[in-house]
Amino acid sequence: MEFQTKLIHGNWKPDAQTGATNVPMYFSNAYAHTTAKELENIFAGRDMGYVYARISNPSVEAFENRIASLEGGIAAVAAASGMAAIYLALMNILKPGNHVVASAGLFGGTFNLLKNLKQQEINVTFLEEMNQESLKNAITDQTKIVFAETIGNPKLDVLDLEEIGKVCEEHRIIFMVDSTITTPYLVKPLEYGADIVIHSTSKYMNGTSNALGGVIIDGGSKKYENERYLDFKDFTKRYRRFAFTAKLRSGIGRDLGAILSPMSSFLHLTGLETLALRMREHCKNAITLAQYLESHPKIVSVQYPSLKSSKYYETAKKYYPDGASGILTCRLGSKEKAFALIDHVKLFANLANIGDTKSLILHPASTICIHNTLEEKEQMGVYEDLVRISVGIEDSKDIISDIEQALHKI
Ligand SMILES: *Cc1c(COP(=O)(O)O)cnc(C)c1O
């Protein structure tokens, strides 16, 4: 199946019992079995089956299977939010004494999560620019994960997946990629050497911001078999390429219980069907707005990777020839002017979110990054005069005329 067909039909057939064309919602915490032996066999791992919804639920499973098919993974595990997915994926591998290398241009929540791993004696090296050289220099014997975003939010630095994938392959280190901004419509990181892909499905996947969620896609890496990952020994022996997912499902995933609800799975599955259509519009509107802003005298600078003026233009062209998603940032020269733009727009909603069909605007320095130090903000590409825009799929004429009238008032 091609991508757009998979969005609608991937890994699921109409319900055999009823013919329902949408995945039925199973609002049941537990599942009854006729004999004690039957339940024993499921608990012992000899048979497949449902026992309790913290472990598995058919509605959630349908969502996981669809995402796995979209990313080209061997399995996927859904979580209650993007943050839950990131935490679960990291802690399925890490223990005290370990080390992570991460790009600095990360989503604020992830940046803080990684920083706080210090409390568990896990050290993180943040690279202001993640490239082959800086990565090689940062890797130690204890490095278990290289973590990056396809396009940093809100720094909008574009990761050269293939180059980083090569270094991770050479050193046999797990390469974990947050592809929330780009979605599998724009890029499939597993094809470029990533081992694990993570999404906050609260954003573009869901599309209309009506449910939180996260998902971890397992690329079926063989790296867990090498000495760096001794804790995986039993799992690689028994589950082979499914070692990561098996360890997650029988370990921290079950222990923490940060599961996606069946209702959220349903809302995500509904949103996913239009992902390709929406992403095309997001990209088209983003480049149109970016070009408009770049030509406006009141705008000091615009960052959108598909702009020729962007430092990341070449990398963006390689991975995102059809447009680098729907997020852009611009600088206005002062915090007052940035605030004035936000206060004068009418169509845009001033809120902390991205990836909605609606156009959104935010001043990151005083909101999502308010608790970060000045130095950290700079590492994250956040400045006092910077505004982040998540371009929606409204008519681009309305988007631009709204920005135009707001800029006029500054
Ligand atoms: C929003 C976001 C997250 C966190 O996801 P939640 O669903 O809000 O927990 C992680 N990474 C990126 C890139 C995000 O934009």
Side-chain angles (χ1 to χ4, degrees), residues 293-305:
L293 288 170
E294 201 168 40
S295 69
H296 199 288
K298 286 185 181 170
I299 299 292
V300 176
S301 65
V302 184
Q303 177 58 32
Y304 181 65

Side-chain angles (χ1 to χ4, degrees), residues 57-78:
N57 170 294
S59 314
V60 177
E61 220 170 69
F63 172 67
E64 291 171 335
N65 291 341
R66 180 147 301 165
I67 296 286
S69 103
L70 294 173
E71 285 285 6
I74 62 164
V77 178

Side-chain angles (χ1 to χ4, degrees), residues 80-86 106-110 147 149 151-153 178-181 198-203 211-214 353-354 388:
S81 66
M83 292 315 299
I86 292 168
L106 293 174
F107 169 68
T110 311
F147 190 99
E149 287 172 14
I151 298 181
N153 168 20
D178 180 337
S179 181
T180 299
I181 287 199
I198 300 174
H199 292 277
S200 163
T201 55
S202 323
K203 316 289 174 55
L212 292 187
N353 191 19
I354 57 162
R388 181 186 73 186

Side-chain angles (χ1 to χ4, degrees), residues 13 83 345:
K13 287 196 172 64
M83 292 315 299
V345 285

